[in-house]
Amino acid sequence: MGHDHSHNTSGKNLKLAFFLNLGFTILEFIGGWYVNSVAIMSDAVHDLGDSLSLGSAWYLDKKSKEESNSKYSFGYRRFSLLGALINSLVLIIGSVYVISEAVGRLFKPEASDATGMIIFALIGVAVNGYAAYKLSGGKSLNEKVVSWHLLEDVLGWFAVLVVAVILSFKEILYLDPALSLLITLYILWNVFKRLKETLFIFLQGVPKELNLEEIENSILKVEKVASLHHTHIWSLEGENHVFTAHLKLREISEFSEILEVKKQVKKILKDYAFEHYTIETELDSETCELENAHKH
């Protein structure tokens, strides 16, 4: 038994972010060539990677909403999780590239067109800021990781804006790479946290907001439930969770008593808003082959 919670806004937000980022990337390439700025051209390459990753996130989010079939019995929701993993890796690679560029510029400073930087920085903050805002309230890991992509760009362009304003008054060439290093290290710290969370879900860990022992104890308080075994909780993609358990019943004399136990257990599980749950009941005279193999 399960509950379907579709989130169409995630797909719309990812689509918007993709086209905004792609459009701005093209503008960066043209503008970087026009003002002869290596810094803007380098950021355009970085944003191109972001656009590819946003495109994959949009596709995988759309794929994740397809119905279940004989090949994927739980549907495609874990495809959204795959998108979060890919985007985390792309962001880490992109950040390493930015760090290498920043370190290189610390040793070999380059002059930039301050006026051109200010214009592009204002556009960059506006475009990426709007896209990041649209995804900031996303519930799926996919949206959260993508929002960090966009936040990186917002902070990066804000740093460019600050540096460009300072450079328009005084030429301090190391400011740009120094700020880029600080921002990128901050972003990497958050991405690694998201990556750890993504891998935890991939490995079918119990969602942090759920307490397995608490749920088991609640079920054990139901009349005629003697014990539980083969109890499992995992998440499909960080938002929709799954529960399965075997219940050993005692002193059952009528079938209606089994139905009442299942009714009470389902009532408990509904408080935790599981996407899907499966309950198998066993009489005290039965022997379950899985009981000894999977004990808590």
Side-chain angles (χ1 to χ4, degrees), residues 10-23:
S10 63
K12 291 179 181 178
N13 289 337
L14 288 168
K15 180 181 178 181
L16 174 65
F18 167 68
F19 281 111
L20 280 174
N21 203 271
L22 181 62

Side-chain angles (χ1 to χ4, degrees), residues 2-283:
H3 309 277
D4 182 34
H5 302 284
S6 61
H7 298 276
N8 296 323
T9 55
S10 63
K12 291 179 181 178
N13 289 337
L14 288 168
K15 180 181 178 181
L16 174 65
F18 167 68
F19 281 111
L20 280 174
N21 203 271
L22 181 62
F24 185 63
T25 300
I26 295 170
L27 183 64
E28 275 185 291
F29 275 115
I30 297 171
W33 172 80
Y34 183 75
V35 300
N36 196 29
S37 171
V38 178
I40 292 176
M41 291 293 283
S42 297
D43 198 84
V45 173
H46 178 71
D47 275 354
L48 180 62
D50 284 356
S51 296
L52 293 174
S53 138
L54 281 164
S56 68
W58 174 29
Y59 169 76
L60 291 170
D61 183 82
K62 185 178 180 181
K63 189 75 174 175
S64 73
K65 291 176 173 61
E66 291 186 16
E67 295 295 325
S68 60
N69 54 37
S70 59
K71 194 173 182 180
Y72 294 99
S73 61
F74 270 111
Y76 292 81
R77 286 192 168 167
R78 286 182 77 83
F79 278 65
S80 176
L81 192 63
L82 178 62
L85 179 62
I86 292 172
N87 284 303
S88 292
L89 296 176
V90 169
L91 188 52
I92 289 171
I93 293 170
S95 297
V96 170
Y97 167 74
V98 170
I99 289 173
S100 66
E101 285 290 307
V103 170
R105 293 197 175 209
L106 281 173
F107 290 102
K108 291 183 180 180
E110 296 180 18
S112 304
D113 180 354
T115 304
M117 287 175 66
I118 290 174
I119 294 171
F120 274 95
L122 289 171
I123 299 172
V125 169
V127 172
N128 291 289
Y130 179 70
Y133 167 74
K134 293 294 288 184
L135 287 173
S136 62
K139 293 182 179 179
S140 70
L141 268 177
N142 201 4
E143 288 179 282
K144 290 175 183 177
V145 172
V146 169
S147 70
W148 275 109
H149 261 97
L150 297 167
L151 180 60
E152 180 191 43
D153 291 334
V154 171
L155 294 175
W157 280 112
F158 185 75
V160 171
L161 179 61
V162 172
V163 168
V165 171
I166 294 173
L167 288 177
S168 64
F169 293 100
K170 190 173 182 180
E171 198 168 288
I172 309 174
L173 301 181
Y174 65 83
L175 277 181
D176 185 24
L179 279 172
S180 296
L181 280 174
L182 289 174
I183 292 167
T184 306
L185 289 173
Y186 171 73
I187 292 294
L188 272 177
W189 180 69
N190 284 285
V191 169
F192 277 119
K193 285 201 303 182
R194 293 294 182 195
L195 182 59
K196 182 181 178 182
E197 185 180 351
T198 302
L199 292 175
F200 180 78
I201 296 171
F202 254 119
L203 296 172
Q204 295 186 312
V206 176
K208 293 179 181 179
E209 65 269 26
L210 297 177
N211 187 315
L212 179 59
E213 290 185 3
E214 176 187 288
I215 295 173
E216 285 185 323
N217 290 334
S218 296
I219 293 174
L220 286 171
K221 291 177 182 178
V222 175
E223 189 178 357
K224 297 189 181 297
V225 174
S227 62
L228 284 86
H229 58 274
H230 207 54
T231 307
H232 300 290
I233 298 175
W234 71 97
S235 183
L236 293 177
E237 72 327 19
E239 187 179 353
N240 297 285
H241 311 319
V242 179
F243 175 92
T244 64
H246 287 214
L247 307 183
K248 178 74 77 173
L249 307 184
R250 60 173 175 239
E251 301 172 359
I252 297 294
S253 56
E254 297 181 8
F255 182 69
S256 60
E257 292 175 323
I258 298 177
L259 295 179
E260 181 59 29
V261 169
K262 292 176 72 175
K263 180 182 177 181
Q264 293 301 318
V265 172
K266 287 177 180 178
K267 185 178 179 181
I268 292 171
L269 295 178
K270 283 179 180 178
D271 290 336
Y272 295 91
F274 284 107
E275 163 71 13
H276 178 93
Y277 47 81
T278 303
I279 305 163
E280 181 170 339
T281 55
E282 300 164 0
L283 301 179

